[in-house]
Amino acid sequence: MTSTAPIAVTGVTGTVGRLVAQQLAERGLALRLLARTPARAPELPNSTVHPFSYNDRAASVAALRGVHTLFMVSASESATRLDEHRSFIDAAAAAGVGHIVYTSFVAAAPDAVFTLARDHFGTEDHIRASGMGWTFLRDNFYIDFMEELVGGDDVIRGPAGDGRAALVTRADVAASAAAVLADPPSHAGKVYDMTGPEALSMADVAATISRIRNRPVTFHNESVDEAYRSRAAYGAPDWQVDAWVSTYTAIGSNAMAPVSGDVEALTGNAPQSLAGFLAANPR
Ligand SMILES: NC(=O)c1ccc[n+]([C@@H]2O[C@H](COP(=O)([O-])OP(=O)(O)OC[C@H]3O[C@@H](n4cnc5c(N)ncnc54)[C@H](OP(=O)(O)O)[C@@H]3O)[C@@H](O)[C@H]2O)c1
């Protein structure tokens, strides 16, 4: 495959995939944009749009034939996500893709405290076994949604205790991914932890939102039982409630606390902090 082969990008109708596609286009690279709803794909130079979904093998193989490098954005959370990921990875291998860059999760493991990180481990495992080259970008929790955790009563509730997480912005994940995708051989077989510049407790998150937004946000450290009870009213399936609650217990475990220098090493820029993100994005 020549270096002029297009780079395939999934998730282009979402935040991370769209930013990655835009940055690759700015570098003058040819792209294949894979989308479930092609009409919602961004219009970018030197790019073509291809209908697909992770569980549509025929469409995925057709969209990926002639591609060497693929950016695979993890699918929306669902009970069938891991099966869909495996199906797409098999399609990529069948199409002759040489290298997958996948958005995984910090501390991905079969027994990860954050239940959705188990899907990410299963996906990494399947990619490793596929014979294709790979690079994993293991994302911490996104800074971008911290403000959405604040309830209508200005309280963030969850069983996170004093644990910390090195939260990262979607934009820093996307810039790191673009750097890897522009030069995949330099990053083959590497796992990068996508973190922000500091590890914050949920009390720190509440205090930072209070300071920047001039709003009195506090953190209430629920017990695990309390957390399940307070979320029961939503009537969500068990896997989803487990994911919501384990977002906090994972922070409480400090599995997501280590700060890595990987964003800066890949992009040349220091990652954005929660305070910097909030200040740059007025509500
Ligand atoms: N680290 C964190 O804190 C955190 C938080 C939330 C999510 N995530 C994960 O990070 C990923 C990227 O984040 P984001 O902010 O860019 O998400 P996003 O804005 O929701 O975009 C997700 C993208 O993936 C596509 N997609 C979802 N399921 C798919 C499937 N089964 N087949 C094909 N395409 C599918 C969506 O397509 P449609 O437009 O067709 O739906 C969309 O383009 C998410 O998908 C999720 O797995 C991480």
Side-chain angles (χ1 to χ4, degrees):
M1 196 60 52
T2 68
S3 60
T4 53
I7 299 173
V9 181
T10 69
V12 294
T13 53
T15 307
V16 171
R18 179 182 298 262
L19 287 171
V20 168
Q22 285 168 344
Q23 289 175 31
L24 294 174
E26 281 163 17
R27 291 172 190 237
L29 296 164
L31 301 177
R32 283 209 198 153
L33 309 179
L34 276 57
R36 291 198 287 195
T37 312
R40 290 178 44 237
E43 282 184 31
L44 293 171
N46 211 3
S47 69
T48 51
V49 180
H50 302 257
F52 94 120
S53 75
Y54 284 150
N55 58 6
D56 183 340
R57 180 184 167 92
S60 298
V61 171
L64 292 172
R65 212 162 255 138
V67 163
H68 176 266
T69 306
L70 163 64
F71 181 50
M72 177 180 173
V73 173
S74 52
S76 310
E77 295 75 11
S78 76
T80 59
R81 176 167 73 162
L82 180 53
D83 287 339
E84 291 178 41
H85 282 179
R86 286 182 177 135
S87 160
F88 183 62
I89 293 159
D90 291 345
V97 167
H99 190 121
I100 297 193
V101 179
Y102 172 66
T103 58
S104 184
F105 207 84
V106 161
D111 57 352
V113 179
F114 179 47
T115 52
L116 297 177
R118 301 172 192 175
D119 281 0
H120 288 291
F121 176 81
T123 304
E124 287 187 359
D125 208 34
H126 205 72
I127 293 172
R128 281 194 177 95
S130 72
M132 293 180 282
W134 52 266
T135 308
F136 300 141
L137 301 175
R138 289 182 160 186
D139 300 352
N140 208 292
F141 287 121
Y142 294 148
I143 279 177
D144 311 47
F145 75 79
M146 284 300 120
E147 215 167 0
E148 293 164 30
L149 300 178
V150 182
D153 56 357
D154 287 341
V155 180
I156 300 175
R157 291 189 166 75
D162 296 329
R164 292 172 178 271
L167 312 166
V168 67
T169 63
R170 287 173 165 117
D172 281 325
V173 171
S176 302
V180 170
L181 289 157
D183 181 19
S186 299
H187 305 286
K190 302 252 175 76
V191 178
Y192 296 113
D193 278 352
M194 299 284 95
T195 80
E198 59 192 344
L200 299 177
S201 67
M202 292 312 291
D204 295 333
V205 169
T208 303
I209 296 172
S210 298
R211 180 164 58 82
I212 306 287
R213 296 288 190 240
N214 197 19
R215 173 184 176 194
V217 176
T218 57
F219 170 58
H220 170 68
N221 181 34
E222 289 180 311
S223 69
V224 170
D225 282 351
E226 205 181 344
Y228 274 96
R229 278 200 305 275
S230 66
R231 288 154 179 79
Y234 294 102
D238 287 351
W239 68 264
Q240 193 159 39
V241 182
D242 289 340
W244 289 340
V245 173
S246 67
T247 298
Y248 291 91
T249 51
I251 294 171
S253 76
N254 278 319
M256 322 208 30
V259 174
S260 97
D262 290 345
V263 168
E264 185 159 3
L266 289 168
T267 68
N269 297 313
Q272 198 169 34
S273 64
L274 173 63
F277 174 85
L278 292 171
N281 294 279
R283 259 181 111 67

